[in-house]
């Protein structure tokens, strides 16, 4: 998508601090971290959000995203004390960038319920 911020990051038109990258997935540090570890994990193919994933084509991509997140969580040591994995969907969810992303947050105790 031409004007999507995260598509621009995928195309390297906007710099980011890459954590992991392959043909299908990019993970990079959030520019405004909400925890000592705050990593965004995205599919490289544009999807507007969680609800915009395609029922027939995308389940394997979703499974792969989860396996990448698990690998990153272990690599960053978040398997020791845990982490939070968040999808913000739509206005009530607080979504501001309309390209599917998972927030991987760790390195501190998280409040519950979230604000
Ligand atoms: P959300 O509110 O769930 O849509 O999350 C969007 C996230 O993208 C926020 O946590 C922002 O801090 C983050 N963000 C916005 N621009 C950038 C950028 N250029 N590089 C890294 N993260 C960004
Ligand atoms: Zn996009």
């Amino acid at each position: 998508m031409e004007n999507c911020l995260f598509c621009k990051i995928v195309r390297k038109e906007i710099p980011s601090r890459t954590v992991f990258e392959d043909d299908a997935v990019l993970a990079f540090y959030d520019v405004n971290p909400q925890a000592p570890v705050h990593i965004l994990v995205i599919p490289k193919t544009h999807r507007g959000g969680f609800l915009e994933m395609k029922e027939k084509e995308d389940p394997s991509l979703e499974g792969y995203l989860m396996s990448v997140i698990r690998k990153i969580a272990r690599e960053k040591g978040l398997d020791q004390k845990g982490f939070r994995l968040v999808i913000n969907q739509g206005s009530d969810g607080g979504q501001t960038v309309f390209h599917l992303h998972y927030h991987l947050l760790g390195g501190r105790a998280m409040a519950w319920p979230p604000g």
Side-chain angles (χ1 to χ4, degrees), residues 2 6 16 18 22 26 38 46 51 81 86 90-91 99 104:
E2 188 73 16
F6 287 176
S16 71
T18 303
D22 68 8
L26 179 66
H38 187 171
H46 182 86
L51 292 180
K81 297 182 83 176
V86 173
S91 54
H99 178 132
L104 175 62

Side-chain angles (χ1 to χ4, degrees), residues 1-8 10-11 42-48 97-100:
M1 286 264 288
E2 188 73 16
N3 285 318
C4 169
L5 177 67
F6 287 176
C7 284
K8 288 182 180 174
V10 167
R11 294 195 298 267
I42 69 171
K44 284 191 164 178
T45 309
H46 182 86
R47 297 285 184 264
V97 177
F98 291 86
H99 178 132
L100 174 65

